[in-house]
Amino acid sequence: MSQAVLEIEDLQVEFPTKRGVIRAVNCVNLALDESEKLGLVGESGSGKSMTLLTLLRLTPHPGRITSGAIRYKGRNLLNLESREMRLLRGKELAMIFQDPMTTLNPVYKVGEQIQESLKVHNVFAGTSGAFWKRARRTAERRRIYELMAEVGIPSPVERFEAYPHEFSGGMQQRAVIAIALACNPNVLLADEPTTALDVTVQAQIMNLLDRINAERKTAVILVTHDLSLAAEFCDRIAVMYAGKVVELGRVDQITADPKHPYTIGLINALPRLRYGKGRPLEPIPGEVDLANLPPGCAFTDRCSRAMAQCRDNVPRKTVLGSGREVLCHLFSEDR
Ligand code: SF4
């Protein structure tokens, strides 16, 4: 039986705004198993990216973690000193951001930026002295070339010297992945890693992440608004809405038999190239407004199946078996 490498318990993140305090992450509970690929899916404002940033304690100002725990290898990351957290970030838990051009520093060579990750975490630290210094530099270079080759950057020796603007979008994202992999992390956090790329490059990058997961046994959390991408890549999917996980299950369960009306809405909104010619798209009406949510189920105003109790009563999590969970009054036992 696989063990959880990362556990999120009752995580809550709040932001003060002119319209009042909003909960961007609202009592999220999730576990990521070793080597697992977990997708966080939902539209903008669902809390998926905020959950990911908070895992690394990178919640943007003025956001505040108001409660919960993030357990990694038995330690609650929320209790670590900033210094301890800095050492862990990039080494054990690494992030791949959405836009490689804003992740890479335009004034440094690509190879140097991969090298920086190795240096920050002292991967090749050792005895001082000229001989060891040379040996370290050689080992470091070799490692960088290996990483570049592993992520599919051709001619690593020449490409080491290139600047980010000399790379295509796909190659830039490969360089970002090489930086993330430099210290052989246990968990990769990928925040919409292919949004800035065209569809063929997107497939290449997702195949690369898939290969890394299979070969290195690195667990991956993929944040995406694209349910079909998550269904292709992930083992399990957590559907998020207004800061909460509203449905959780294996990919086959979620795609073949979605339970929550929001998940059903997301699936119906997907364009179908082959079978849907002439079929109008079915958008979910309205949009999420975190500062103005109903007191009960946050999805009430947009839900075609809303009932009298939905507006005022917060639905509780119902476990449907086989690890399947749903947060909706339609499935609560006391209905
Ligand atoms: Fe719709 Fe009610 Fe379920 Fe919310 S609790 S998703 S409003 S049926």
Side-chain angles (χ1 to χ4, degrees), residues 28-310:
V28 166
N29 286 282
L30 282 171
L32 176 71
D33 287 341
E34 282 171 356
S35 321
E36 188 187 22
K37 293 175 287 182
L38 173 68
L40 300 189
V41 177
E43 63 200 310
S44 300
S46 61
K48 53 193 193 311
S49 292
M50 197 55 65
T51 303
L52 211 64
L53 288 169
T54 302
L55 288 181
L56 290 179
R57 292 209 356 221
L58 294 174
T59 316
H61 181 77
R64 231 165 36 92
I65 303 168
T66 49
S67 64
I70 300 166
R71 298 195 194 285
Y72 173 72
K73 290 187 175 172
R75 291 196 294 174
N76 183 358
L77 301 187
L78 301 185
N79 293 338
L80 296 189
E81 299 286 331
S82 304
R83 198 188 121 271
E84 290 176 289
M85 196 60 216
R86 264 202 308 278
L87 291 177
L88 207 99
R89 238 182 254 132
K91 190 168 187 196
E92 308 260 346
L93 310 161
M95 185 97 167
I96 301 167
F97 289 95
Q98 194 174 111
D99 185 354
M101 212 38 204
T102 53
T103 308
L104 296 168
N105 188 326
V107 300
Y108 286 101
K109 292 171 182 172
V110 169
E112 289 171 343
Q113 299 190 50
I114 302 171
Q115 193 169 27
E116 185 61 20
S117 187
L118 296 172
K119 277 190 177 144
V120 166
H121 296 289
N122 288 326
V123 174
F124 289 98
T127 330
S128 55
F131 171 78
W132 289 109
K133 217 170 164 184
R134 264 200 312 279
R136 267 205 307 279
R137 201 177 302 139
T138 309
E140 211 171 72
R141 277 291 172 125
R142 197 178 307 126
R143 176 82 185 114
I144 295 165
Y145 298 152
E146 277 170 14
L147 279 165
M148 291 172 91
E150 184 180 352
V151 299
I153 298 175
S155 316
V157 180
E158 293 94 71
R159 293 299 183 104
F160 181 100
E161 306 293 335
Y163 287 90
H165 73 271
E166 297 176 89
F167 275 35
S168 65
M171 280 299 153
Q172 287 169 356
Q173 195 56 301
R174 287 175 193 270
V176 169
I177 294 171
I179 293 170
L181 291 181
C183 300
N184 204 13
N186 282 326
V187 180
L188 265 183
L189 308 171
D191 187 7
E192 307 263 12
T194 57
T195 302
L197 307 173
D198 70 48
V199 71
T200 48
V201 181
Q202 170 177 298
Q204 292 169 7
I205 296 295
M206 294 317 295
N207 285 343
L208 171 61
L209 291 176
D210 208 26
R211 183 163 57 76
I212 290 164
N213 165 263
E215 290 174 1
R216 292 176 171 239
K217 308 287 174 219
T218 312
V220 183
I221 300 184
L222 172 72
V223 156
T224 178
H225 60 272
D226 185 344
L227 184 58
S228 54
L229 183 74
E232 280 285 318
F233 178 77
C234 298
D235 304 312
R236 283 190 307 148
I237 289 179
V239 179
M240 292 191 70
Y241 186 78
K244 292 187 178 185
V245 173
V246 295
E247 183 161 5
L248 175 71
R250 292 194 319 263
V251 163
D252 58 309
Q253 294 169 328
I254 299 277
T255 52
D257 184 22
K259 301 289 187 194
H260 196 282
Y262 179 60
T263 313
I264 295 170
L266 285 180
I267 291 174
N268 289 342
L270 287 174
R272 289 178 179 83
L273 191 61
R274 260 181 246 160
Y275 313 108
K277 197 156 186 251
R279 168 188 165 273
L281 294 175
E282 294 174 39
I284 302 171
E287 56 189 34
V288 60
D289 179 1
L290 291 178
N292 187 25
L293 294 174
C297 172
F299 193 54
T300 306
D301 293 336
R302 306 175 69 190
C303 180
S304 59
R305 301 193 62 189
M307 304 168 287
Q309 77 226 59
C310 296

Side-chain angles (χ1 to χ4, degrees), residues 3-19:
Q3 269 195 324
V5 63
L6 191 67
E7 287 170 289
I8 308 171
E9 294 167 14
D10 293 327
L11 188 65
Q12 196 156 290
V13 178
E14 293 184 349
F15 280 80
T17 71
K18 285 183 185 155
R19 297 172 66 205

